[in-house]
Amino acid sequence: MAGSPLLLCKMPLHTCQSSNRCSFSYNPRSLESVSCYGAHLRRGINAKLHLKGVLFSGQSVCCHRLKPVSSFSSEDAHPISQEPVQLKRDKTFEQWDSMTAKFAGAANLPFLLLQLPQIVLNTQNLLAGNKSALLAVPWLGMLTGLLGNLCLVSYFIKKMETEAVVVQSLGVISTYVVMLQLAMGEAMPLPHFIATSVVVASGLILNFMKYFNLLNPEIWHFWEDFITVAGLSTLPQVMWSTFVPFVPNTIFPGIIAFVSAMLAVLMARMGKLPDNGVKFLGSVSGWTATLLFMWMAVAQMWTNLLNPKNIKGLSAVSMLLAMIGNGLLIPRALFIRDFMWFTGSSWGSIFYGWGNLICLYCFNSISREFFLALTIGFLAWIGLTFWRDSKAHGLGSPFTSLKELVFGP
């Protein structure tokens, strides 16, 4: 190319055409860059001098450093024949992403109504003076579920899953109302109810402030340590107490768990734990909350087996709503590959919802047609969930979705 450097500097660099092709300039040392249209090169006198030096040296100018790609290699990287397939896959992914979020949001309705039939039934028994019927609802099971929901609120706030935050908050409030009725009917010790009330009120306020970024990080850190210690202390104690009087009535399991949890938290605060230990401790509260929530189903079914005569005090509608609400959360948990969330939702849907409906069916509290219909519908929903998830992620089999959920992609 002939011409003065000044003229070259003033000439616009129209080397890229509308077809997005870029011209290459030869440099014996490298073929690193290409000339792109519309480069913003006016950055003062120093930038102009640098531009002149570049033009003198025969190097090309580019607004971004791009790796040179020949025409045939670019077509190989993005084959024209595969573009519609990729676009279709992306569209399917986005649609399933949106649908799973809507399912999680729709779970608010059954969870909002979840305890309503049980609350109405408890109210009727209280007004009739039939306090013994409230013993069909184990307060230990309600306590584990409530604490699990409360801890999961904090977990989902950190993950920014708003729909799940609302669901868990509704679970805390509705379960607390049932526990209030149990305390009124003397089916729950009053000191335990008072302590639970303090924890619930504090937890909801702190989580609310955290969600709207109104909470000091150090206070939030303290709350996370508290729910870790409280969860680890409560879980083994509740699991042990569920089987009293078949096992000795003691608080020894809770004391051991409390001391162990306190030592772990203090060591983490002082920097005495290795990185893997700190990471493990951070995940403990979430899994503890899930296990607390899962144990509520075990406590309820154990109570059903011990006192089958009181099973009429259990609301079939509440169990159905528990199955539906948790079932609506399964697709979202599977889609984002949250194994902990998937485990808790599946357990709640299968054991707390469907499992208690089996108990009601065995004791002739619900009809065979109703039980078979909801069983077929539930199995169809699980199958549809895995099938759609595999299609959205471009997987060959629904079992691959489960494999990725458990072991990672």
Side-chain angles (χ1 to χ4, degrees):
M1 176 181 290
S4 66
L6 181 59
L7 179 60
L8 289 173
C9 186
K10 291 182 178 180
M11 289 178 64
L13 301 175
H14 295 291
T15 57
C16 288
Q17 303 299 326
S18 59
S19 62
N20 291 330
R21 295 179 180 177
C22 293
S23 62
F24 290 82
S25 62
Y26 177 74
N27 185 347
R29 293 170 295 181
S30 64
L31 287 173
E32 289 182 327
S33 54
V34 294
S35 298
C36 296
Y37 173 73
H40 300 283
L41 302 173
R42 293 188 296 272
R43 298 182 181 275
I45 298 176
N46 293 333
K48 289 184 178 181
L49 292 175
H50 174 69
L51 176 60
K52 292 180 182 181
V54 169
L55 292 173
F56 270 118
S57 63
Q59 295 179 352
S60 59
V61 181
C62 183
C63 55
H64 301 283
R65 293 187 64 85
L66 302 175
K67 183 178 180 180
V69 181
S70 61
S71 59
F72 64 85
S73 65
S74 64
E75 290 176 358
D76 291 340
H78 302 283
I80 297 176
S81 61
Q82 294 184 9
E83 285 183 0
V85 177
Q86 184 65 31
L87 290 174
K88 183 179 179 180
R89 182 178 299 174
D90 292 342
K91 185 177 180 180
T92 304
F93 184 89
E94 293 176 359
Q95 287 178 345
W96 188 236
D97 182 16
S98 176
M99 289 180 66
T100 55
K102 290 178 181 178
F103 289 149
N108 289 322
L109 181 59
F111 277 113
L112 179 63
L113 303 174
L114 174 61
Q115 298 294 351
L116 185 59
Q118 190 66 57
I119 292 172
V120 172
L121 186 60
N122 291 344
T123 302
Q124 293 174 349
N125 288 323
L126 285 173
L127 293 176
N130 186 18
K131 294 183 179 181
S132 61
L134 273 70
L135 296 174
V137 184
W139 70 268
L140 276 175
M142 290 289 106
L143 177 62
T144 56
L146 184 145
L147 293 178
N149 288 134
L150 187 62
C151 295
L152 287 174
V153 172
S154 303
Y155 174 79
F156 287 118
I157 283 178
K158 292 190 294 183
K159 293 180 70 69
M160 299 304 293
E161 288 285 344
T162 304
E163 295 84 0
V165 171
V166 176
V167 167
Q168 301 301 330
S169 299
L170 290 175
V172 171
I173 296 172
S174 60
T175 305
Y176 178 78
V177 174
V178 174
M179 295 183 70
L180 173 62
Q181 292 180 318
L182 296 180
M184 293 172 61
E186 299 178 357
M188 178 180 181
L190 185 59
H192 294 73
F193 174 73
I194 295 175
T196 301
S197 302
V198 173
V199 173
V200 169
S202 303
L204 288 178
I205 292 173
L206 291 174
N207 281 297
F208 178 84
M209 295 178 66
K210 173 64 177 178
Y211 184 82
F212 291 100
N213 295 320
L214 301 175
L215 191 65
N216 184 281
E218 187 61 29
I219 298 179
W220 178 253
H221 193 184
F222 174 80
W223 168 250
E224 288 184 313
D225 290 342
F226 172 78
I227 60 177
T228 299
V229 174
L232 286 175
S233 303
T234 304
L235 180 61
Q237 184 62 49
V238 169
M239 294 173 68
W240 182 273
S241 299
T242 300
F243 301 107
V244 173
F246 297 94
V247 295
N249 189 4
T250 176
I251 61 172
F252 195 61
I255 293 176
I256 295 176
F258 173 77
V259 174
S260 301
M262 283 295 297
L263 287 175
V265 169
L266 290 175
M267 290 177 65
R269 281 275 188 164
M270 294 185 295
K272 300 296 183 180
L273 285 181
D275 293 339
N276 291 337
V278 174
K279 184 178 180 181
F280 173 78
L281 187 63
S283 63
V284 162
S285 61
W287 274 107
T288 302
T290 302
L291 292 173
L292 283 169
F293 174 75
M294 291 166 62
W295 192 256
M296 180 171 62
V298 177
Q300 182 64 68
M301 295 182 71
W302 178 253
T303 302
N304 295 343
L305 294 175
L306 291 180
N307 303 292
K309 294 182 179 180
N310 291 334
I311 201 169
K312 291 185 178 180
L314 192 64
S315 172
V317 178
S318 290
M319 299 302 104
L320 176 62
L321 290 172
M323 188 183 75
I324 295 174
N326 284 287
L328 288 172
L329 296 175
I330 292 176
R332 186 63 183 175
L334 178 64
F335 177 77
I336 67 174
R337 300 296 190 262
D338 191 323
F339 183 53
M340 189 191 73
W341 189 7
F342 179 86
T343 302
S345 299
S346 300
W347 185 277
S349 186
I350 295 172
F351 289 96
Y352 188 70
W354 186 65
N356 280 301
L357 287 169
I358 292 178
C359 295
L360 291 171
Y361 169 70
C362 292
F363 289 99
N364 299 319
S365 294
I366 58 176
S367 65
R368 175 185 299 178
E369 294 77 13
F370 176 72
F371 176 72
L372 290 177
L374 65 89
T375 299
I376 293 172
F378 178 65
L379 294 176
W381 174 254
I382 297 299
L384 177 64
T385 295
F386 277 91
W387 176 74
R388 284 298 305 270
D389 185 86
S390 63
K391 294 297 181 182
H393 287 87
L395 304 176
S397 170
F399 293 102
T400 308
S401 294
L402 183 61
K403 180 181 177 182
E404 290 187 355
L405 174 70
V406 179
F407 302 104

